[in-house]
Amino acid sequence: MATPLWVRALGYWAYQYRRTWRSSITTSFLYPVLYLAAIGVGLGSLIHHPVDGVRYVDFIAPGLLAATAMQIGSNEAMYPVMMGIKWWRTYFAMLATPLRVLDVLRGHLAWIAVRLTIVSVIYLAVVAAFGVARSPLAVLALPAAVATGTAFAAPIAAFSATQDKDVGFTTIYRFGLIPLFLFSGTFFPVTQLPGWLQPVADATPLYHGVSLCRGLVLGQLSLWPALGDALYLVALTAVGYLLARRTFTRRLVV
Amino acid sequence: MVARGLTKRFGDFVAVDSVDFEIDRGESFGFLGPNGAGKTSTMKMISCTSPVSGGTLRVLGMDPAVDGTRIRARIGLVPQEDSLDLELTVLDNLMIYGRYFDLPRPLIRRRAQQLLEFAQLTDRADDRVDPLSGGMKRRLTIARSLISDPDLLILDEPTTGLDPQARHLLWDRLYRLKQEGKTLVITTHYMDEAEQLCDRLVVMDHGRFAAEGTPRELIERYSTREVVELRFRSGEHESVAHRLAGLAVRSEVLPDRLLLYTADGDATLSQVHAAGFTPESALVRRATLEDVFLRLTGRTLVD
């Protein structure tokens, strides 16, 4: 049985990761846990009244899961895409073999989903050890986190394929990811924002990722809003994928 | 491989303008031409990595628009720009590439050993690619293109930018592949490369074929048997050429020298001296493809 073409592309990233995973430990695994310890436990010890009805550490632990997924999903769709197209031309190496542009794209996005899964599993295990997870539904926070990551990865990959330099990535961080990280409900409820900003926060993908992960981990979930969050993340992933199909084809088939 | 009216357009620009050619199994076929002549666009179309804009193309008897994946499974491509993974080792690059063809790992490993031997990279197998020299990277790219044991090997300027030793080593390797019966399609800037490796070649200019034939045929058709190269003080070549025109079948003025095309170079050189000219240096040589190229495109190749 022949291996599907996109799985062969996925195989490249997995093979490459075997050599480079050490350098990703800090950003992927250590940082979220350090945040959780410093802010959740350390700063949280000063916050005596419950936030949204739970301890502060319980409040931010699932938020950090979604924020980490955003960070990894975005990052993996920036520099590695640039590498594939320009710096090392990895994509072109693939395209000289039986692989097609669609396989290159699917393989890369699938790999990002794998990375998100690995990181989320480890983080959720740590969170469980902190005694945060209090619902069997917490298991579903795993696909929720992966969907949060892909909701960023797919559209950003589409963007990256149009770029010639990596300056655009800095802009995404500065004006996109960092504000989202701070103000999308990861560290405090968005109800604390000024009234006019709340609808803006509500509209961002990270807000939906955070609400979904939080609801699942803490077991405080109402069906319809949760489905709305999930649908939002899946829809954004799908739109991003369709856009990426176009930008990848335009860039790689000349 | 058969192409009829093969065309590549980028917007209004026509990179390949309706060319026809046939390449047989086991043949080694060259595309010569200056930069921008359309060689690379042609290579990309026949390696099924770039769609044709017009005409018909059959590679290994199949249509690239329909069977791109199946055709590429039987092609080895050496692109003009290397696309190696610089952080991985030499061996890993071969392993990964073999997986794209879905070859079983033990088979890839076995072939990789042979190919590393072939590319003289065995002792670098476990080194990262990044610090390797340009020649080594190029040899690795060629080794990589052979991992799937392709029927057809397409090489886009395989030796451009290499030093002479590296180039000769590569020629030797390519010559062996030719002897093994592989079909080779090569683009090059270098005439000696074309003379050594190609059974048949075309000279491309502005997206069209200016000439086609074996290296020997082309030299006979477009050049004389011998060439006299004369070097005068710079600036004098044009006026000297004018006055020496009667001594040669044809003459060509280059920025740094004057070429006289003639059947008997020594006789012509004596006549030049007899006419009272004293060039700073003079050389009589046999005509090469370079002269054919100069005649057909009006410029030297490496520019």
Coordinates of all heavy atoms in Angstrom, one line a residue, chain A residues 87-153:
Chain A
W87 N 14.4 30.1 1.8 CA 15.7 30.0 2.4 C 16.3 28.6 2.0 O 17.5 28.6 1.5 CB 15.6 30.1 3.9 CG 15.2 31.5 4.3 CD1 15.4 32.7 3.5 CD2 14.5 32.0 5.4 NE1 14.9 33.8 4.2 CE2 14.4 33.4 5.4 CE3 14.1 31.3 6.6 CZ2 13.7 34.1 6.4 CZ3 13.5 32.0 7.6 CH2 13.3 33.4 7.5
W88 N 15.6 27.6 2.2 CA 16.2 26.3 1.8 C 15.5 25.6 0.6 O 15.9 24.6 0.2 CB 16.1 25.3 3.0 CG 17.0 25.7 4.1 CD1 17.8 26.7 4.2 CD2 17.1 25.0 5.4 NE1 18.5 26.8 5.4 CE2 18.0 25.7 6.2 CE3 16.5 23.9 5.9 CZ2 18.4 25.3 7.5 CZ3 16.8 23.5 7.2 CH2 17.7 24.2 8.0
R89 N 14.4 26.2 0.2 CA 13.6 25.7 -0.9 C 13.2 24.2 -0.7 O 13.1 23.4 -1.6 CB 14.4 25.8 -2.2 CG 14.9 27.3 -2.4 CD 15.8 27.4 -3.6 NE 15.3 26.9 -4.8 CZ 14.4 27.5 -5.6 NH1 14.1 28.7 -5.2 NH2 13.9 27.0 -6.7
T90 N 12.9 23.9 0.6 CA 12.5 22.5 0.9 C 11.2 22.1 0.1 O 11.1 21.0 -0.3 CB 12.1 22.4 2.4 OG1 13.0 23.2 3.1 CG2 12.1 21.0 2.9
Y91 N 10.3 23.0 -0.1 CA 9.1 22.7 -0.8 C 9.4 22.3 -2.3 O 8.8 21.4 -2.8 CB 8.1 23.9 -0.9 CG 7.5 24.3 0.4 CD1 6.9 25.5 0.6 CD2 7.3 23.3 1.5 CE1 6.3 25.9 1.8 CE2 6.6 23.7 2.6 CZ 6.1 25.0 2.8 OH 5.5 25.3 3.9
F92 N 10.4 23.0 -2.8 CA 10.7 22.7 -4.2 C 11.4 21.3 -4.3 O 11.2 20.7 -5.3 CB 11.6 23.8 -4.8 CG 10.9 25.1 -5.0 CD1 11.0 26.1 -4.1 CD2 10.1 25.3 -6.1 CE1 10.3 27.3 -4.2 CE2 9.4 26.5 -6.3 CZ 9.5 27.5 -5.3
A93 N 12.1 21.0 -3.3 CA 12.7 19.6 -3.3 C 11.6 18.6 -3.4 O 11.6 17.6 -4.1 CB 13.6 19.4 -2.1
M94 N 10.5 18.9 -2.6 CA 9.4 17.9 -2.5 C 8.7 17.9 -3.9 O 8.3 16.8 -4.3 CB 8.4 18.4 -1.5 CG 8.9 18.3 0.0 SD 7.6 18.9 1.1 CE 8.5 18.8 2.6
L95 N 8.6 19.1 -4.5 CA 7.8 19.2 -5.7 C 8.5 18.5 -6.9 O 7.9 18.3 -8.0 CB 7.5 20.6 -6.0 CG 6.5 21.3 -5.0 CD1 6.4 22.8 -5.3 CD2 5.1 20.6 -5.1
A96 N 9.8 18.2 -6.8 CA 10.5 17.5 -7.8 C 10.3 16.0 -7.8 O 10.7 15.3 -8.6 CB 12.0 17.8 -7.7
T97 N 9.6 15.6 -6.7 CA 9.3 14.2 -6.5 C 7.8 14.0 -6.8 O 7.1 14.9 -7.2 CB 9.6 13.8 -5.1 OG1 8.7 14.4 -4.2 CG2 11.0 14.3 -4.7
P98 N 7.2 12.8 -6.5 CA 5.8 12.6 -6.8 C 4.9 13.6 -6.1 O 3.7 13.8 -6.5 CB 5.5 11.2 -6.4 CG 6.8 10.5 -6.6 CD 7.9 11.5 -6.2
L99 N 5.3 14.3 -5.1 CA 4.4 15.2 -4.3 C 3.9 16.4 -5.2 O 4.6 16.9 -6.0 CB 5.1 15.7 -3.1 CG 5.1 14.8 -1.9 CD1 5.8 13.5 -2.2 CD2 5.8 15.5 -0.7
R100 N 2.7 16.8 -4.8 CA 2.1 18.0 -5.5 C 1.9 19.1 -4.5 O 2.1 18.9 -3.3 CB 0.7 17.6 -6.0 CG 0.6 16.5 -7.0 CD -0.7 15.8 -7.0 NE -1.1 15.4 -5.7 CZ -2.4 15.1 -5.3 NH1 -3.3 15.1 -6.2 NH2 -2.6 14.7 -4.1
V101 N 1.6 20.3 -4.9 CA 1.5 21.5 -4.1 C 0.6 21.2 -2.9 O 0.9 21.5 -1.7 CB 1.1 22.7 -4.8 CG1 0.8 23.9 -3.8 CG2 2.1 23.1 -5.8
L102 N -0.5 20.6 -3.2 CA -1.5 20.3 -2.1 C -0.9 19.4 -1.1 O -1.2 19.5 0.1 CB -2.8 19.6 -2.7 CG -3.9 20.5 -3.3 CD1 -5.1 19.7 -3.7 CD2 -4.2 21.6 -2.2
D103 N -0.1 18.4 -1.5 CA 0.5 17.5 -0.6 C 1.5 18.2 0.3 O 1.6 18.0 1.5 CB 1.2 16.4 -1.3 CG 0.3 15.7 -2.3 OD1 -0.8 15.3 -1.9 OD2 0.7 15.5 -3.4
V104 N 2.2 19.2 -0.3 CA 3.2 20.0 0.5 C 2.4 20.8 1.6 O 2.8 20.8 2.7 CB 3.9 20.9 -0.5 CG1 4.7 21.9 0.3 CG2 4.8 20.1 -1.4
L105 N 1.3 21.4 1.2 CA 0.6 22.2 2.1 C -0.1 21.3 3.2 O 0.1 21.6 4.4 CB -0.5 23.0 1.4 CG -1.5 23.8 2.2 CD1 -0.8 24.8 3.1 CD2 -2.6 24.4 1.4
R106 N -0.7 20.3 2.8 CA -1.4 19.4 3.8 C -0.4 18.8 4.7 O -0.7 18.7 5.9 CB -2.2 18.3 3.1 CG -3.4 18.8 2.4 CD -4.1 17.6 1.7 NE -5.1 18.1 0.8 CZ -5.6 17.5 -0.3 NH1 -5.1 16.3 -0.6 NH2 -6.5 18.0 -1.0
G107 N 0.7 18.3 4.2 CA 1.7 17.7 5.0 C 2.2 18.7 6.1 O 2.4 18.3 7.2
H108 N 2.4 19.9 5.7 CA 3.0 20.9 6.6 C 1.9 21.2 7.7 O 2.2 21.3 8.9 CB 3.4 22.2 5.9 CG 4.3 23.0 6.7 ND1 5.2 23.9 6.2 CD2 4.5 23.1 8.0 CE1 5.9 24.5 7.1 NE2 5.5 24.0 8.3
L109 N 0.7 21.5 7.3 CA -0.4 21.8 8.3 C -0.6 20.6 9.2 O -0.8 20.7 10.4 CB -1.7 22.2 7.6 CG -1.6 23.5 6.8 CD1 -2.9 23.8 6.1 CD2 -1.3 24.7 7.8
A110 N -0.5 19.4 8.6 CA -0.7 18.2 9.5 C 0.4 18.1 10.5 O 0.1 17.8 11.6 CB -0.7 16.9 8.6
W111 N 1.6 18.5 10.1 CA 2.7 18.4 11.0 C 2.5 19.5 12.1 O 2.7 19.2 13.3 CB 4.0 18.7 10.3 CG 5.1 19.0 11.3 CD1 5.8 20.1 11.5 CD2 5.6 18.1 12.3 NE1 6.6 20.0 12.6 CE2 6.6 18.8 13.1 CE3 5.3 16.7 12.6 CZ2 7.2 18.2 14.1 CZ3 6.0 16.1 13.7 CH2 7.0 16.9 14.4
I112 N 2.0 20.6 11.8 CA 1.7 21.6 12.8 C 0.7 21.1 13.8 O 0.8 21.2 15.0 CB 1.2 23.0 12.2 CG1 2.4 23.5 11.3 CG2 0.8 24.0 13.2 CD1 2.0 24.8 10.6
A113 N -0.3 20.4 13.3 CA -1.3 19.8 14.2 C -0.7 18.7 15.1 O -1.0 18.7 16.3 CB -2.5 19.1 13.3
V114 N 0.2 18.0 14.6 CA 1.0 17.0 15.4 C 1.7 17.7 16.5 O 1.7 17.3 17.7 CB 1.9 16.1 14.5 CG1 2.8 15.3 15.4 CG2 1.1 15.3 13.6
R115 N 2.4 18.8 16.1 CA 3.2 19.5 17.1 C 2.3 20.0 18.2 O 2.6 20.0 19.4 CB 3.9 20.7 16.5 CG 5.2 20.5 15.8 CD 6.4 20.5 16.6 NE 6.5 21.3 17.8 CZ 7.1 22.4 17.9 NH1 7.8 22.9 16.9 NH2 7.2 23.1 19.0
L116 N 1.1 20.6 17.8 CA 0.2 21.2 18.7 C -0.3 20.0 19.7 O -0.5 20.3 20.9 CB -1.0 21.8 18.0 CG -0.7 23.1 17.3 CD1 -1.8 23.4 16.3 CD2 -0.5 24.2 18.3
T117 N -0.5 18.9 19.1 CA -1.0 17.8 19.9 C 0.0 17.4 21.0 O -0.3 17.2 22.2 CB -1.3 16.5 19.1 OG1 -2.2 17.0 18.0 CG2 -1.9 15.4 19.9
I118 N 1.3 17.3 20.6 CA 2.3 16.9 21.5 C 2.4 17.9 22.7 O 2.4 17.5 23.9 CB 3.7 16.8 20.8 CG1 3.6 15.7 19.7 CG2 4.8 16.4 21.8 CD1 4.9 15.7 18.8
V119 N 2.5 19.1 22.3 CA 2.6 20.2 23.3 C 1.4 20.2 24.3 O 1.5 20.3 25.5 CB 2.8 21.6 22.7 CG1 2.7 22.7 23.7 CG2 4.1 21.6 21.9
S120 N 0.2 20.1 23.7 CA -1.0 20.2 24.5 C -1.1 19.0 25.5 O -1.6 19.2 26.6 CB -2.2 20.3 23.6 OG -2.1 21.3 22.7
V121 N -0.8 17.8 25.0 CA -0.8 16.6 25.9 C 0.1 16.9 27.1 O -0.4 16.6 28.2 CB -0.4 15.4 25.1 CG1 -0.1 14.2 26.1 CG2 -1.5 15.0 24.1
I122 N 1.3 17.3 26.8 CA 2.2 17.5 27.9 C 1.7 18.6 28.9 O 1.7 18.4 30.1 CB 3.6 17.8 27.4 CG1 4.2 16.6 26.7 CG2 4.5 18.2 28.5 CD1 5.5 16.8 26.0
Y123 N 1.2 19.7 28.3 CA 0.8 20.8 29.1 C -0.4 20.3 30.0 O -0.5 20.6 31.2 CB 0.4 22.0 28.2 CG -0.1 23.2 29.0 CD1 0.8 24.0 29.6 CD2 -1.4 23.4 29.2 CE1 0.4 25.1 30.4 CE2 -1.9 24.5 30.0 CZ -0.9 25.3 30.5 OH -1.4 26.4 31.3
L124 N -1.4 19.6 29.3 CA -2.5 19.2 30.1 C -2.2 18.2 31.2 O -2.8 18.3 32.3 CB -3.5 18.5 29.1 CG -4.4 19.5 28.3 CD1 -5.1 18.7 27.2 CD2 -5.4 20.2 29.2
A125 N -1.1 17.4 31.0 CA -0.7 16.5 32.0 C -0.1 17.4 33.2 O -0.4 17.1 34.4 CB 0.4 15.6 31.5
V126 N 0.6 18.4 32.9 CA 1.1 19.3 33.9 C 0.0 20.0 34.7 O 0.0 20.0 35.9 CB 2.1 20.3 33.3 CG1 2.5 21.4 34.4 CG2 3.3 19.7 32.8
V127 N -1.0 20.4 33.9 CA -2.1 21.1 34.5 C -2.9 20.2 35.5 O -3.3 20.5 36.5 CB -3.0 21.7 33.4 CG1 -4.4 22.0 33.9 CG2 -2.4 22.9 32.8
A128 N -3.0 18.9 35.0 CA -3.7 18.0 35.9 C -2.9 17.8 37.1 O -3.5 17.6 38.2 CB -3.8 16.6 35.1
A129 N -1.6 17.8 37.0 CA -0.8 17.6 38.2 C -1.0 18.8 39.2 O -0.8 18.7 40.4 CB 0.7 17.5 37.9
F130 N -1.2 20.0 38.6 CA -1.5 21.2 39.5 C -2.9 21.1 40.1 O -3.3 22.0 40.9 CB -1.5 22.5 38.6 CG -0.1 23.1 38.5 CD1 0.8 22.6 37.6 CD2 0.2 24.2 39.3 CE1 2.1 23.2 37.5 CE2 1.5 24.8 39.2 CZ 2.4 24.3 38.3
G131 N -3.6 20.1 39.7 CA -5.0 19.9 40.3 C -6.0 20.8 39.7 O -7.0 21.1 40.3
V132 N -5.8 21.3 38.5 CA -6.7 22.2 37.9 C -7.8 21.5 37.2 O -9.0 21.9 37.3 CB -5.9 23.1 36.9 CG1 -6.9 24.0 36.0 CG2 -4.9 24.0 37.6
A133 N -7.5 20.5 36.4 CA -8.5 19.8 35.6 C -9.6 19.2 36.6 O -9.2 18.4 37.4 CB -7.9 18.7 34.7
R134 N -10.8 19.6 36.5 CA -11.8 19.1 37.4 C -13.0 18.5 36.7 O -14.1 18.4 37.3 CB -12.2 20.2 38.3 CG -12.4 21.5 37.6 CD -12.8 22.6 38.6 NE -11.7 22.9 39.5 CZ -11.8 23.8 40.5 NH1 -13.0 24.5 40.6 NH2 -10.8 24.1 41.3
S135 N -12.8 18.2 35.4 CA -13.9 17.6 34.7 C -13.4 16.6 33.7 O -12.3 16.8 33.2 CB -14.6 18.8 33.9 OG -15.3 18.2 32.8
P136 N -14.1 15.5 33.5 CA -13.7 14.6 32.5 C -13.7 15.2 31.1 O -12.9 14.7 30.2 CB -14.8 13.5 32.5 CG -15.8 13.9 33.5 CD -15.4 15.1 34.2
L137 N -14.4 16.3 30.9 CA -14.4 17.0 29.6 C -13.0 17.6 29.3 O -12.8 17.9 28.2 CB -15.4 18.1 29.6 CG -16.9 17.7 29.5 CD1 -17.8 19.0 29.6 CD2 -17.1 17.0 28.2
A138 N -12.2 17.7 30.3 CA -10.8 18.3 30.1 C -10.1 17.5 29.0 O -9.3 18.2 28.3 CB -10.0 18.2 31.4
V139 N -10.4 16.3 28.7 CA -9.8 15.5 27.6 C -10.1 16.2 26.3 O -9.2 16.3 25.4 CB -10.3 14.1 27.6 CG1 -9.8 13.3 26.4 CG2 -10.0 13.4 28.9
L140 N -11.2 16.8 26.2 CA -11.6 17.5 25.0 C -10.9 18.8 24.8 O -11.0 19.4 23.7 CB -13.1 17.7 24.9 CG -14.0 16.4 24.7 CD1 -15.5 16.8 24.8 CD2 -13.6 15.7 23.5
A141 N -10.2 19.3 25.8 CA -9.5 20.5 25.6 C -8.3 20.3 24.7 O -7.8 21.2 24.1 CB -8.9 21.0 27.0
L142 N -7.9 19.0 24.5 CA -6.8 18.7 23.6 C -7.2 19.1 22.1 O -6.6 19.9 21.5 CB -6.4 17.2 23.7 CG -5.4 16.7 22.7 CD1 -4.1 17.5 22.8 CD2 -5.2 15.2 22.8
P143 N -8.3 18.5 21.6 CA -8.7 18.9 20.2 C -9.0 20.4 20.2 O -8.8 21.1 19.1 CB -9.9 18.1 19.9 CG -10.4 17.4 21.1 CD -9.2 17.4 22.0
A144 N -9.6 21.0 21.3 CA -9.9 22.4 21.3 C -8.6 23.2 21.1 O -8.5 24.2 20.3 CB -10.6 22.8 22.6
A145 N -7.5 22.8 21.8 CA -6.3 23.5 21.7 C -5.7 23.4 20.3 O -5.2 24.3 19.7 CB -5.3 23.0 22.7
V146 N -5.7 22.2 19.8 CA -5.2 21.9 18.4 C -6.0 22.8 17.4 O -5.4 23.5 16.5 CB -5.3 20.5 18.0 CG1 -4.9 20.3 16.5 CG2 -4.4 19.6 18.9
A147 N -7.3 22.9 17.6 CA -8.1 23.7 16.6 C -7.7 25.2 16.8 O -7.7 26.0 15.8 CB -9.6 23.5 16.9
T148 N -7.4 25.6 18.0 CA -7.0 27.0 18.2 C -5.7 27.3 17.5 O -5.6 28.3 16.8 CB -6.8 27.3 19.7 OG1 -7.9 26.9 20.5 CG2 -6.4 28.8 20.0
G149 N -4.8 26.3 17.6 CA -3.5 26.5 16.9 C -3.7 26.5 15.4 O -3.1 27.3 14.7
T150 N -4.5 25.6 14.8 CA -4.6 25.6 13.4 C -5.4 26.8 12.8 O -5.2 27.2 11.7 CB -5.3 24.3 12.9 OG1 -6.6 24.1 13.6 CG2 -4.5 23.0 13.2
A151 N -6.3 27.3 13.7 CA -7.0 28.5 13.3 C -6.1 29.7 13.0 O -6.4 30.6 12.2 CB -8.0 28.9 14.3
F152 N -4.9 29.6 13.7 CA -3.9 30.6 13.4 C -2.9 30.2 12.3 O -2.6 30.9 11.4 CB -3.1 31.0 14.6 CG -3.8 31.9 15.6 CD1 -4.6 31.3 16.6 CD2 -3.7 33.3 15.5 CE1 -5.3 32.2 17.4 CE2 -4.3 34.1 16.3 CZ -5.2 33.6 17.3
A153 N -2.6 28.9 12.3 CA -1.5 28.4 11.4 C -2.0 28.5 10.0 O -1.2 28.9 9.1 CB -1.2 26.9 11.8

